[in-house]
Amino acid sequence: DKNIPDLKYADADAQSFYDFIMGPVGGSFRKENVLLLKNEQATLKNVKIAITHFLEKTKDADLVALFMVCHGGPDRSGNLYLLMHDSDLENLSATAYDMESVNADMRQRISAKRLIFFADVCRVNGFSVGGSGAKGGSNSINVAISSLKTDKEGWGVISASHVGEVSAESGQWGGGHGAFTYYLLEGLKRNADVAGNNNGIVTLPEAFDYLAEKVKRATTNVQHPEISGNFDNNLPLGFPCLDAAGEKEQDKTLPMPCAGLMNINSTPQGATVYIGIKEAGMTPFLTKMPMGTYPVTIKKNGYADTTDMVFVNPDEKTDVSFMLRSSEAGKRRYDEPLLTGWLFWVSYKPMFECFERLLKYVPN
């Protein structure tokens, strides 16, 4: 739609976030677990398929990161929509993703108990042109997105701006980015850790504190990112300690990341250990890890997957033991009550009949 002004750097923002999470500092996500939609790929159909089918494959223990940079806007009735590549302002109900459906689809289809939604979305009306572009005007798109966290434990939303604010983008940030994305990634790569406890891991609160301060200053108090939700404050999002190439460029006076030992055992042994989404080894498993909280999943053929959150203390060994349950155990427990009940009835019915006959001869 020619009436929708182009965003100059939304595709660059998405590409940069993709590149980050594919590298070791961003968690080394597997390629098959990541979906990138830019420009003509980001149609209403493709985005809906991504949320209702691609993300439907997630399990309880997974972490979902949803990063979205686009326009949003209301129709004449005030219904709110996310605008796609093929959206038509005169027919939003058929060509844009309405926020009620976005919220419902995510709640119903995504099973992951940990989700972070990075949302750089605001209203197309009021778009301004100048030294830097802007996504927005007075709007309630961010309020609608933030409602996702109301009934989902472990879900968080980081919005680029307050209601009523614009979201700035400019060539001055990394050669062409939104202020939100530029400072988010700068923080996750290392700077938020340096500004925080400098332990080699960037947690969600550290990333947001760095992002909020930098964006506020860079936009002269025009834009203020927001965070909402009920998530784990120890959730790690960046691992600058794993950036081997970057270590040579870092200030040698900075302290080394605090680390400890993670010792994983299982009964039976020989199970595969996953730290987050990455296969790490077999039990018994011992490794050195930066201080922080990690989702650990144990898998073995014939046994049900087992997941737990493991906190590694600095300069200590954290011992964790998993007792694996046969994947057939649930089926046996389901059958046993029926079998036991039937045997009880067959075995004792004649005795009950005998008692009834005897009672006829017992005086009142």
Side-chain angles (χ1 to χ4, degrees):
D1 190 332
K2 294 181 179 179
N3 293 316
I4 302 176
D6 286 336
L7 296 170
K8 294 182 180 180
Y9 306 117
D11 51 355
D13 288 347
Q15 183 68 56
S16 294
F17 192 84
Y18 173 88
D19 294 341
F20 169 72
I21 64 174
M22 298 302 290
V25 180
S28 297
F29 280 63
R30 294 181 180 177
K31 189 172 183 179
E32 63 269 23
N33 291 341
V34 182
L35 180 62
L36 174 65
L37 300 175
K38 297 190 301 180
N39 301 321
E40 65 277 358
Q41 300 168 330
T43 61
L44 175 61
K45 177 181 178 181
N46 287 345
V47 172
K48 293 190 73 170
I49 288 175
I51 290 179
T52 59
H53 293 282
F54 180 75
L55 292 180
E56 192 175 35
K57 298 181 294 184
T58 60
K59 299 180 181 180
D60 285 358
D62 290 337
L63 166 65
V64 170
L66 178 58
F67 181 86
M68 182 176 290
V69 188
C70 67
H71 282 310
D75 61 12
R76 293 184 178 87
S77 301
N79 300 310
L80 297 171
Y81 295 89
L82 298 177
L83 274 60
M84 305 294 122
H85 179 77
D86 53 347
S87 293
D88 175 3
L89 284 180
E90 296 300 318
N91 193 16
L92 290 180
S93 62
T95 62
Y97 206 165
D98 71 280
M99 281 305 307
E100 287 189 7
S101 295
V102 174
N103 290 348
D105 288 343
M106 289 181 65
R107 287 190 178 104
Q108 295 170 10
R109 301 299 188 103
I110 301 177
S111 299
K113 291 185 177 180
R114 296 176 301 148
L115 179 147
I116 303 299
F117 191 173
F118 299 97
D120 194 354
V121 184
C122 50
R123 184 172 172 174
V124 65
N125 294 347
F127 187 93
S128 62
V129 178
S132 62
K135 300 177 286 295
S138 179
N139 69 91
S140 53
I141 288 285
N142 287 337
V143 175
I145 293 174
S146 294
S147 67
L148 279 168
K149 51 81 180 175
T150 55
D151 61 355
K152 278 288 190 177
E153 184 80 18
W155 284 25
V157 176
I158 298 181
S159 302
S161 58
H162 288 334
V163 172
E165 295 181 342
V166 298
S167 296
E169 59 171 5
S170 172
Q172 65 179 301
W173 294 307
H177 282 294
F180 175 78
T181 301
Y182 177 74
Y183 287 109
L184 171 65
L185 292 178
E186 286 293 295
L188 290 175
K189 289 175 181 177
R190 177 159 178 83
N191 290 350
D193 184 43
V194 174
N197 58 15
N198 199 34
N199 68 344
I201 298 175
V202 178
T203 62
L204 179 56
E206 283 179 327
F208 179 77
D209 288 345
Y210 177 85
L211 165 71
E213 178 63 23
K214 289 296 184 179
V215 169
K216 181 182 70 172
R217 290 182 178 274
T219 61
T220 61
N221 287 316
V222 170
Q223 181 179 343
H224 300 80
E226 287 189 323
I227 188 169
S228 58
N230 187 13
F231 43 79
D232 181 5
N233 282 327
N234 292 315
L235 180 64
L237 295 180
F239 303 88
C241 57
L242 300 180
D243 184 10
E247 287 179 359
K248 298 178 181 179
E249 303 174 3
Q250 293 172 9
D251 187 344
K252 299 301 182 179
T253 63
L254 294 177
M256 293 297 291
C258 299
L261 292 175
M262 179 189 293
N263 184 36
I264 307 294
N265 282 285
S266 68
T267 304
Q269 292 186 356
T272 304
V273 178
Y274 289 83
I275 301 177
I277 61 173
K278 189 174 183 179
E279 183 176 334
M282 307 284 288
T283 57
F285 175 78
L286 178 67
T287 187
K288 189 174 184 179
M289 297 290 290
M291 181 187 70
T293 304
Y294 301 89
V296 176
T297 301
I298 306 297
K299 297 185 179 184
K300 186 176 178 65
N301 288 338
Y303 295 86
D305 295 353
T306 304
T307 299
D308 199 0
M309 300 299 294
V310 178
F311 182 77
V312 176
N313 288 303
D315 302 319
E316 293 182 9
K317 184 172 76 168
T318 302
D319 296 307
V320 183
S321 296
F322 289 85
M323 182 68 68
L324 301 183
R325 177 173 57 86
S326 171
S327 56
E328 296 295 321
K331 182 177 179 181
R332 289 198 298 271
R333 286 199 299 269
Y334 177 80
D335 292 341
E336 284 169 358
L338 179 61
L339 177 62
T340 303
W342 177 250
L343 289 174
F344 178 87
W345 177 251
V346 171
S347 299
Y348 288 91
K349 185 177 179 182
M351 185 177 295
F352 289 148
E353 293 174 343
C354 179
F355 284 157
E356 289 176 350
R357 291 196 300 270
L358 287 172
L359 288 174
K360 294 179 182 179
Y361 301 98
V362 176
N364 290 334

